[in-house]
Amino acid sequence: MSPTPTARVKSRRVTQACDFCHKRGVKCREAPGNTEACLTCVEYGRECTRQRQPKKRGTKPRGTRVGTDVSRQPHGEREKDQVTNLFGIIDPGKFSKTSASSLGNRKIITTLLDVYLDTVHPSFPLFCERDIWVGWRDGSFPSSPKDYMSLMRMCALSAQHVVDGALFTDEVDSAESAALAHDYLQEAVRRVPVDFEDPSIDLVRSYGFLALLGAQNGNHAMVHKYLALYHGIYPQLNLHDESRWPSDITDCDREVRRRLWWAMYRLEIHTACVLGNPVRSSESQCNVGYPCGLHHPAFIPGRDGQFEDWFAGWNSTTDLYRVLEHAILDFRSKRNSRASILGDHDRPDTTRITEQLAMIQRDLLPQFGMAWSRSSDSGRNRCGFQASNILCTIHLARMISSISGENSLHSACETANDMISNLKAIPLEYVRAIGSPLIQQLAGVGHILIGVATRHRLSPYDYDLVKSVLTLIIAYLAQLKDYSKTAAAAEGRLSNQLTSLNQAAVSSRAADELSNGDATSGDSEVFSWSPLFDGAFPGAGSGSSDIFSTNLQVAFTWPYQSMIP
């Protein structure tokens, strides 16, 4: 008699995904022999909970919530689906009927999220990309008022990029998005609290987004406001010290916190360089590791995995910002009439700054040595963003370090000439995507040169050198006028300052001729600072405030291949 076959146990169907699986968009499967936890939670050692409110089943009316599974709707209905009634958050009284409806238009939001991922995310990856790309498409994002707040601020920043023409692709339908830029900004600001009654990573990120948005549109007051709020709240969450983070956070949450800390640190150094802010979050006072970047399997079509390590380039850029911090402190310490109580003991060493820049440059991976033209592989495109950011930040640090040295004029001119030469090698799509920040940084280099030139005794050779470099910068900005109003304004301002420099130089030479009775000839001829220069340049009479009076923001770019050994 044959043995009785063992009955096959039928696996129980999981009717509702647990909170852990739902948040990550993975299938929730029953763990063999365990009725309390799913397989994923068992593997990750997580508590398996189902505390969220389940969605209502059945036929849903038009104007359904964002949580709807849009993948099962007809294509035409998906485009018409609105998120304006999500949690009843949008107040129609704050907008016109048309604007309130358009703010939640799924087609417009999808376009703006794609703009964010293509243009902003490579420089400021404040989110886990999977949560946005997958969550928005499967209906799991946004799922709470905090998610909605995140959605509005991303749309506001992306819409501002559309308004500025700062786009990485030519396929964006910009008319509707640009028209709603102000409404998205208004909704984002209205929904972000300015008190710290409920401190959270989402609130920290909200302040970061709005500071970025202020930097993008040139609103200095907005930058100062939200950076101040950021500095007020992050110590409550110990964001600067990961040894004090909650022990039960997931790897994904830890990755996002690291990205947030270092992205905001980079913005802090930007504003310290551009707006003259003190450095309030020094790199030496934090204990936060670098993000690893890839912490999920590939989930976006068009990636072949070859360039998925673009975060290595992002971390190299962060290294450069840390060096840039010390270059700024070195520059300020040498021009500060009030010495430190420790004397020169705490002053950065210019030589060490230069050596560190050279070491970072030497260790760059090949894919970050130049920016490729746009391709269908978003990972490759993001490597191009990192190459641009790395190489341009090196030049900015070199420029500030050079004007701290003794031979500052020649060194500054050489650095600026290298920078403009390599900027010309950047594919136009990167220049356009970075937009205002790149243009303002280049204009800032021109203002630095003018500030240095007005404080030196210039021989005819020196004057021609400064003039030739400024002319190159102005000519490059002129080529971008058709793509950016910022470029047109910067070109006009620098042209006026160069004209003022020419006139001041001529007047100074004429005054020297009258006082000396005869002009000195040959290379020994110089023209020096005189009262005739006062008023020719804003802030040029004394001090160095004009050197950092421009508005540089979020990301820097330019690839120079010659720097790679």
Side-chain angles (χ1 to χ4, degrees):
M1 181 176 174
S2 60
T4 303
T6 302
R8 182 178 179 181
V9 179
K10 184 177 180 180
S11 60
R12 182 171 58 89
R13 181 175 179 267
V14 177
T15 58
Q16 181 190 15
C18 72
D19 299 332
F20 186 73
C21 292
H22 175 76
K23 184 175 180 181
R24 280 145 190 82
V26 298
K27 185 176 181 180
C28 190
R29 297 172 294 169
E30 180 184 5
N34 190 332
T35 60
E36 301 296 329
C38 71
L39 182 62
T40 304
C41 289
V42 170
E43 291 176 344
Y44 280 86
R46 304 291 298 175
E47 180 183 3
C48 193
T49 61
R50 290 177 172 82
Q51 298 177 351
R52 73 183 188 283
Q53 185 69 26
K55 299 176 185 177
K56 294 182 179 180
R57 297 184 178 274
T59 305
K60 298 177 178 60
R62 292 181 63 126
T64 185
R65 293 167 55 164
V66 175
T68 304
D69 186 359
V70 297
S71 63
R72 298 186 179 182
Q73 297 180 11
H75 180 71
E77 290 298 316
R78 272 185 248 168
E79 292 188 354
K80 296 177 182 178
D81 187 21
Q82 302 291 307
V83 298
T84 51
N85 291 328
L86 175 65
F87 310 111
I89 284 181
I90 293 183
D91 181 1
K94 298 288 184 179
F95 311 96
S96 68
K97 183 177 180 180
T98 302
S99 296
S101 176
S102 299
L103 282 181
N105 183 282
R106 188 170 186 87
K107 180 179 179 181
I108 294 176
I109 292 178
T110 300
T111 298
L112 291 175
L113 290 182
D114 287 340
V115 168
Y116 169 79
L117 292 174
D118 286 341
T119 304
V120 181
H121 187 76
S123 296
F124 284 88
L126 303 183
F127 277 91
C128 170
E129 187 176 4
R130 180 187 175 89
D131 288 347
I132 301 173
W133 202 91
V134 175
W136 174 251
R137 284 160 174 79
D138 70 9
S140 62
F141 174 84
S143 60
S144 69
K146 289 182 179 180
D147 283 351
Y148 172 82
M149 182 172 64
S150 299
L151 180 66
M152 288 296 102
R153 65 187 180 232
M154 278 190 287
C155 288
L157 183 56
S158 297
Q160 185 62 48
H161 272 264
V162 173
V163 170
D164 296 339
L167 301 171
F168 190 63
T169 176
D170 300 318
E171 301 174 358
V172 176
D173 183 8
S174 61
E176 291 180 314
S177 303
L180 292 170
H182 176 74
D183 289 337
Y184 276 122
L185 174 59
Q186 182 181 357
E187 179 71 358
V189 170
R190 191 169 69 90
R191 286 296 162 187
V192 176
V194 294
D195 57 52
F196 302 156
E197 294 181 358
D198 185 21
S200 66
I201 291 299
D202 287 299
L203 187 56
V204 174
R205 187 161 44 199
S206 295
Y207 295 152
F209 260 106
L210 291 175
L212 276 174
L213 208 157
Q216 175 65 29
N217 62 23
N219 188 335
H220 295 174
M222 187 174 182
V223 175
H224 288 304
K225 174 181 177 179
Y226 288 104
L227 273 181
L229 289 169
Y230 163 76
H231 285 289
I233 194 173
Y234 84 72
Q236 297 189 43
L237 300 169
N238 297 312
L239 189 61
H240 61 294
D241 185 358
E242 68 174 70
S243 67
R244 300 167 68 183
W245 292 351
S247 59
D248 59 344
I249 62 174
T250 66
D251 291 340
C252 185
D253 292 335
R254 180 177 290 102
E255 172 77 7
V256 170
R257 286 173 181 244
R258 288 176 172 178
R259 294 183 185 186
L260 181 58
W261 170 261
W262 287 114
M264 292 306 297
Y265 168 80
R266 286 162 57 158
L267 182 60
E268 170 85 356
I269 301 305
H270 274 292
T271 56
C273 178
V274 174
L275 304 180
N277 296 347
V279 178
R280 292 165 286 190
S281 301
S282 174
E283 59 99 17
S284 62
Q285 298 178 22
C286 74
N287 176 32
V288 179
Y290 277 179
C292 65
L294 187 63
H295 60 291
H296 287 300
F299 55 88
I300 296 182
R303 293 188 179 179
D304 58 15
Q306 183 181 0
F307 299 101
E308 288 302 288
D309 62 345
W310 63 272
F311 245 96
W314 194 87
N315 291 335
S316 294
T317 308
T318 302
D319 281 340
L320 290 168
Y321 275 100
R322 295 170 68 183
V323 177
L324 180 59
E325 174 194 334
H326 294 282
I328 294 170
L329 296 179
D330 180 43
F331 174 84
R332 290 177 177 176
S333 65
K334 292 179 179 177
R335 283 156 176 76
N336 190 353
S337 59
R338 184 182 181 89
S340 167
I341 196 171
L342 299 179
D344 292 340
H345 179 72
D346 61 342
R347 175 175 291 180
D349 187 344
T350 303
T351 302
R352 291 184 62 189
I353 291 173
T354 304
E355 290 174 350
Q356 189 66 30
L357 289 173
M359 185 178 71
I360 295 173
Q361 169 190 311
R362 183 193 64 218
D363 294 339
L364 287 177
L365 295 174
Q367 61 266 41
F368 304 123
M370 62 176 293
W372 290 277
S373 297
R374 182 176 59 216
S375 73
S376 60
D377 188 333
S378 62
R380 174 175 175 147
N381 294 336
R382 290 175 180 183
C383 285
F385 271 99
Q386 307 319 309
S388 301
N389 292 336
I390 287 168
L391 299 170
C392 196
T393 309
I394 287 178
H395 272 322
L396 182 62
R398 283 181 58 200
M399 173 65 79
I400 295 177
S401 182
S402 68
I403 62 178
S404 299
E406 296 180 357
N407 190 24
S408 60
L409 180 64
H410 289 176
S411 180
C413 286
E414 179 183 358
T415 301
N417 190 62
D418 288 345
M419 181 177 184
I420 194 66
S421 297
N422 289 280
L423 270 172
K424 294 178 179 178
I426 298 180
L428 179 60
E429 49 265 28
Y430 289 100
V431 177
R432 185 175 62 182
I434 301 299
S436 298
L438 180 149
I439 293 166
Q440 291 161 345
Q441 189 218 356
L442 180 58
V445 170
H447 297 319
I448 289 175
L449 277 180
I450 289 177
V452 173
T454 55
R455 292 166 177 81
H456 280 70
R457 291 174 55 84
L458 299 183
S459 68
Y461 171 79
D462 293 336
Y463 172 73
D464 289 340
L465 180 62
V466 172
K467 182 178 179 180
S468 65
V469 175
L470 287 172
T471 302
L472 287 174
I473 294 174
I474 292 170
Y476 184 79
L477 291 172
Q479 295 176 7
L480 304 177
K481 288 194 298 186
D482 293 339
Y483 304 100
S484 171
K485 295 179 181 178
T486 305
E491 186 238 358
R493 184 182 178 192
L494 277 179
S495 296
N496 291 337
Q497 289 185 321
L498 180 58
T499 300
S500 298
L501 180 65
N502 291 335
Q503 293 172 349
V506 171
S507 299
S508 179
R509 287 175 177 172
D512 287 343
E513 290 178 2
L514 290 175
S515 61
N516 297 333
D518 184 25
T520 306
S521 60
D523 290 341
S524 62
E525 179 185 3
V526 298
F527 66 88
S528 59
W529 179 266
S530 76
L532 293 171
F533 280 87
D534 289 338
F537 312 99
S542 63
S544 57
S545 60
D546 187 58
I547 289 181
F548 297 113
S549 64
T550 54
N551 180 25
L552 311 181
Q553 300 122 17
V554 284
F556 296 147
T557 64
W558 65 254
Y560 59 63
Q561 209 169 354
S562 60
M563 294 293 289
I564 307 302

